[in-house]
Structure formats: structure tokens, C-alpha cells
Amino acid sequence: MSIRAVAREAYREALPALGASVVGGLFAGLVLGGMRSELQQVPGLLVLVPALLATRGNVYGSLGARLATGLHQGLLEPRIDLGNERLRGAIAAAITNGLFVSLFAATAAYVLLGLLGEAAAPLSTLVAVSLLAGLLSGITLTVAVVSVVFVGFRRGQNPDTLVGPIVTTTGDVFGMAFLLLAARTVLFFGGI
């Protein structure tokens, strides 16, 4: 294959996902703009936003990379089979890591805000919002990543090309939406 053909193929695979990523990022920004009330009621929540969005990308990007590697090496079949121990293990590790990172981010935000003398919601509130948002977005990201990687591979596309933009888009859109939902839920129950 010529360099031109390789470049054309890479752009053909990546441009739709990158376009969706731009639209998803704009939507996530709109959700953040609509969270003014929750950001005021849960001091420190804004500090969590970049940490939670970045860690979603890291954790579930790793899941996508692990699945893509398994497909390329022939260790996984390109079908969703929850009886497959490798697939179950990768999913369990991703969701567990996502929850652990959510807990760590909430605790670190609380401690750092305290050290800086800034107002922060109670640690239990930040942890509850972070864990609930982490669980909901983790389930959604897992479904999206596994589906996109397997379907893309079956259609002859390189899943490594698809994982980054899909995780970014899905993580931003659903991460912000579930952060808003988690904040509203925790506030509904009295801030825990």
C-alpha cells in the first residue's frame, strides 16, 4: 500500500468518529453550562469535572486498547460473549478502576480545597456524586466501547482508530449528563 492509500484509509476511519467527538464535546459544554445551580449547591463539584472526564478517557480507553489487542492477537472473538473470561475480566477491571478513580478524585478534591481554604461540600457528598456518576458512566462507556470495538473489527476497521474518539465523545457526553444526574440525586436525598 502506498502512503497516500494508508493516509486515505486512516482518515476514512477516523473522520466520522472525530466529527462525533466535536459535537459531543459541544453538548457536554452545554450540560456543564446548565449545571449552575448544582455547582453552587455542591461546592467543589466544578473541581471534579476535569478530573472525572479525564479519568473516564484513561480507564475506558485502556479497556478499548485491551480489547483491540485481544482481537488483533486472536485471543478474543469479535462478538460479545459474557461467558468469555478475558472479556469479563477486562470489563470488571475497567469498572472497578473507574470507581476507584472516582473515589480518589473526590477525596483529593476535598483535601486540596481544604488545604487551599476554599469551600467544599462534605466529603460524603462529593464521594456520593462521584461514585454514582462513575458507576453510571462506567456502564455506559463499557457498552459503547465493547460494541464499537467488536462491530468495527467485524467490519474490517481498525478498532485502535475508533477507540480514542468514541471514548472521548461518550465519556464527555454521558460523563457530564451522569454527573448532573448524580448531583441532582444526591441533593434530592439531602446531600448525604
Side-chain angles (χ1 to χ4, degrees):
M1 270 180 118
S2 70
I3 293 174
R4 181 178 296 241
V6 170
R8 186 178 297 126
E9 182 67 19
Y11 280 112
R12 185 187 65 76
E13 288 180 358
L15 281 179
L18 290 172
S21 182
V22 168
V23 172
L26 292 172
F27 178 77
L30 288 173
V31 172
L32 180 60
M35 289 180 63
R36 287 187 183 97
S37 173
E38 290 77 13
L39 293 172
Q40 289 174 347
Q41 293 177 48
V42 184
L45 185 59
L46 186 58
V47 173
L48 281 175
V49 169
L52 293 178
L53 292 182
T55 56
R56 301 284 178 265
N58 292 336
V59 168
Y60 295 96
S62 295
L63 171 63
R66 179 172 297 187
L67 296 177
T69 299
L71 288 169
H72 289 308
Q73 293 179 341
L75 300 173
L76 287 174
E77 292 295 320
R79 59 182 158 71
I80 299 172
D81 175 13
L82 295 179
N84 184 306
E85 190 175 323
R86 289 182 193 274
L87 179 59
R88 275 197 335 263
I91 290 170
I95 291 176
T96 302
N97 288 339
L99 290 173
F100 178 73
V101 167
S102 296
L103 174 65
F104 179 79
T107 305
Y110 180 80
V111 169
L112 289 172
L113 287 169
L115 290 174
L116 294 172
E118 296 290 330
L123 178 60
S124 59
T125 300
L126 290 175
V127 166
V129 169
S130 187
L131 286 176
L132 182 56
L135 178 64
L136 294 173
S137 62
I139 291 167
T140 304
L141 278 165
T142 297
V143 170
V145 168
V146 171
S147 300
V148 166
V149 166
F150 287 170
V151 169
F153 187 81
R154 281 196 310 259
R155 292 184 178 174
Q157 293 184 320
N158 183 353
D160 292 315
T161 305
L162 301 173
V163 168
I166 294 303
V167 169
T168 301
T169 304
T170 309
D172 288 352
V173 170
F174 288 102
M176 287 306 304
F178 287 135
L179 188 62
L180 175 60
L181 177 64
R184 287 183 177 173
T185 302
V186 169
L187 287 171
F188 178 80
F189 288 108
I192 300 182

